[in-house]
Amino acid sequence: MSATLDTVSLLADRINALEESSTLAMTKKARELAAQGHKVISLSVGEPDFKTPQHICEAAKKAIDDGFHGYSPVAGYPDLRKAIADKFKRDNNIDWKPENIVVSTGAKHSLANVIQVLINPGDEVIIFSPYWVSYSEMVKLAEGKAVVVDGSFENNFKVTPEQFEAAITERTKIVMYASPNNPTGSIYSEAELRAIGEVVARHENVYVLADEIYEYINFTPEGHFSIGSIPEIAERVITVNGVAKGFAMTGWRIGYIGAAKWIADGVEKLQGQVTSGTNSIAQKATVAALTGPLEPSMEMTKAYHRRRDLVVKLLKEVPHFRTNVPEGAFYAFPDISYYYGKSDGTTTIENSDDFALWLLNKAFVATVAGSGFGAPNCLRISTAASDESLVEAIQRIKEAVATLK
């Protein structure tokens, strides 16, 4: 049977209702152009361009030699759960025991698990925007309602406590956000998170889903602060993290949560019916990551910081781009809305999707439209690339937009 509208209709409604991941879609198009022989510079994917540190790789090799070839416990190996609990105490001032930890196949899996476990049809999930592309779709899959609250450009894309509280209703079950943020690189300070925590404390049925996957990639003097360390709301905070970004371990697919035991038990129950325990070798490598030296991660962060400075400087030289200064992660998120309605004589730019696709076809630079992140006036540019690639890419962007009139 050929793929027609009739066959599409055979798919479950929940799948037809989902949007395709805009980051993965753009990466796919960039690869197609590269396969045709074009020199594409891909700044679309959120992936470190560093190799996994050697001591972590050696731990994986040892795990293979030591015979860790079988199924792992659903919630993760005991030594890994302990290492994660120790990490929470060391880095985040969060007191969880191993029984409060569940290891999953990437932080994306961890987030999806929590939403499936806590959300009933019609429950509301407040999402601080701009947000990572999958948040709203995960809520949709759980038959919840995403309530998007926009952080303004003028406030460095951050939502205020007043905005948050105004969005709470009797159906609100979760508020979720990422800090450091993907796509903006913005970071909620300790003072800002304590103020948000005060709002949560006043609403006893609201839970916090804190995505801290970019924790180590932080350029601020004060460093990272975890909302889960606030005692008054600690039992209602689910902290999600993983090793993909801070340890350059995207392909190892290890994420984890720290949460109240009843939530952790629910996630373990769900995971036991869907995926069971995650990759055994990757788990042993993660023990080495979390208990070993952090110097490699800090060196990567220094490189991302330097690239941030380079990219912000170059983007400010692109006419009519408005660019904030990211405080962490490895993205820039310029407002490119000046060019809406402009044309190069062949293509008219109406929105960020048009702009990103036009830029790929015109300049062979892959970025991601801000629309998928809840910010239709912006464009996400990954800075996880070499200095040479970043300089060349932004020069191409500068030359391309000069053709828009």
Side-chain angles (χ1 to χ4, degrees):
M1 187 183 293
S2 61
T4 65
L5 287 176
D6 289 335
T7 59
V8 169
S9 69
L10 293 175
L11 292 172
D13 291 344
R14 73 178 68 87
I15 299 303
N16 284 327
L18 282 183
E19 298 291 337
E20 183 179 11
S21 168
S22 55
T23 53
L24 297 181
M26 206 62 182
T27 301
K28 179 181 177 182
K29 290 175 183 176
R31 286 173 178 159
E32 290 171 354
L33 281 173
Q36 295 169 17
H38 298 288
K39 187 183 175 184
V40 176
I41 300 176
S42 183
L43 304 181
S44 61
V45 67
E47 182 166 28
D49 59 324
F50 296 99
K51 292 182 178 180
T52 302
Q54 189 60 34
H55 69 283
I56 299 172
C57 296
E58 292 300 328
K61 295 174 187 176
K62 185 176 186 300
I64 294 172
D65 292 340
D66 289 349
F68 286 95
H69 305 157
Y71 290 129
S72 65
V74 172
Y77 283 122
D79 59 341
L80 177 53
R81 294 170 80 189
K82 182 181 185 306
I84 293 168
D86 291 346
K87 175 259 180 289
F88 273 131
K89 180 62 177 175
R90 178 192 73 206
D91 295 344
N92 310 101
N93 196 30
I94 296 175
D95 289 309
W96 289 133
K97 297 176 181 178
E99 66 189 22
N100 299 103
I101 309 300
V102 180
V103 182
S104 302
T105 306
K108 178 185 274 191
H109 187 201
S110 299
L111 290 164
N113 277 344
V114 172
I115 291 170
Q116 288 290 337
V117 163
L118 289 182
I119 295 302
N120 283 312
D123 284 348
E124 294 178 357
V125 178
I126 294 174
I127 300 175
F128 289 180
S129 178
Y131 54 83
W132 182 51
V133 293
S134 294
Y135 286 1
S136 59
E137 302 309 295
M138 290 175 179
V139 173
K140 189 185 295 183
L141 269 177
E143 299 182 65
K145 177 184 177 183
V147 178
V148 176
V149 181
D150 295 322
S152 68
F153 182 93
E154 292 70 23
N155 195 42
N156 208 22
F157 295 111
K158 291 186 283 189
V159 173
T160 66
E162 293 76 17
Q163 286 180 285
F164 167 39
E165 188 152 33
I168 295 174
T169 73
E170 62 182 13
R171 297 306 304 268
T172 303
K173 187 71 173 287
I174 292 175
V175 56
M176 64 187 301
Y177 71 94
S179 180
N181 181 268
N182 174 5
T184 66
S186 300
I187 291 176
Y188 284 87
S189 68
E190 178 176 347
E192 288 168 329
L193 287 176
R194 287 192 180 279
I196 287 167
E198 289 175 3
V199 176
V200 174
R202 291 195 289 271
H203 299 270
E204 61 183 17
N205 295 320
V206 175
Y207 292 79
V208 180
L209 184 49
D211 182 349
E212 301 188 354
I213 189 68
Y214 290 93
E215 171 187 5
Y216 290 149
I217 309 174
N218 186 315
F219 314 139
T220 65
E222 70 173 352
H224 182 80
F225 179 79
S226 293
I227 196 169
S229 66
I230 301 174
E232 293 79 6
I233 60 171
E235 287 291 316
R236 288 191 280 132
V237 176
I238 305 98
T239 304
V240 172
N241 211 323
V243 293
K245 314 299 184 178
F247 295 96
M249 293 176 67
T250 51
W252 299 76
R253 308 310 303 135
I254 296 288
Y256 53 84
I257 68 163
K261 189 174 184 303
W262 65 274
I263 297 174
D265 287 348
V267 168
E268 182 178 4
K269 183 179 181 180
L270 171 65
Q271 190 160 290
Q273 293 290 5
V274 179
T275 62
S276 296
T278 195
N279 183 284
S280 58
I281 306 304
Q283 287 192 58
K284 291 300 180 181
T286 300
V287 173
L290 297 180
T291 61
L294 286 177
E295 284 80 6
S297 297
M298 297 304 100
E299 287 301 313
M300 286 186 252
T301 295
K302 288 180 183 176
Y304 292 133
H305 194 171
R306 179 176 47 72
R307 292 171 182 175
R308 186 281 308 266
D309 292 343
L310 171 66
V311 167
V312 168
K313 174 180 177 293
L314 293 173
L315 286 175
K316 287 184 176 180
E317 296 172 2
V318 178
H320 307 296
F321 271 33
R322 288 203 306 155
T323 305
N324 72 318
V325 179
E327 298 171 307
F330 41 71
Y331 306 103
F333 203 57
D335 182 317
I336 45 88
S337 58
Y338 169 86
Y339 291 100
Y340 295 174
K342 309 292 185 185
S343 174
D344 65 357
T346 302
T347 301
T348 299
I349 308 298
E350 300 294 352
N351 49 50
S352 61
D353 296 89
D354 288 350
F355 192 99
L357 185 59
W358 170 80
L359 199 60
L360 179 59
N361 291 321
K362 179 87 171 183
F364 302 113
V365 176
T367 57
V368 188
S371 57
F373 302 97
N377 286 340
C378 297
L379 189 75
R380 194 190 78 170
I381 296 172
S382 171
T383 60
S386 69
D387 290 26
E388 294 76 15
S389 293
L390 293 169
V391 170
E392 172 67 19
I394 296 173
Q395 181 60 32
R396 290 188 194 182
I397 292 172
K398 188 176 181 179
E399 292 172 358
V401 299
T403 69
L404 293 172
K405 307 295 181 187

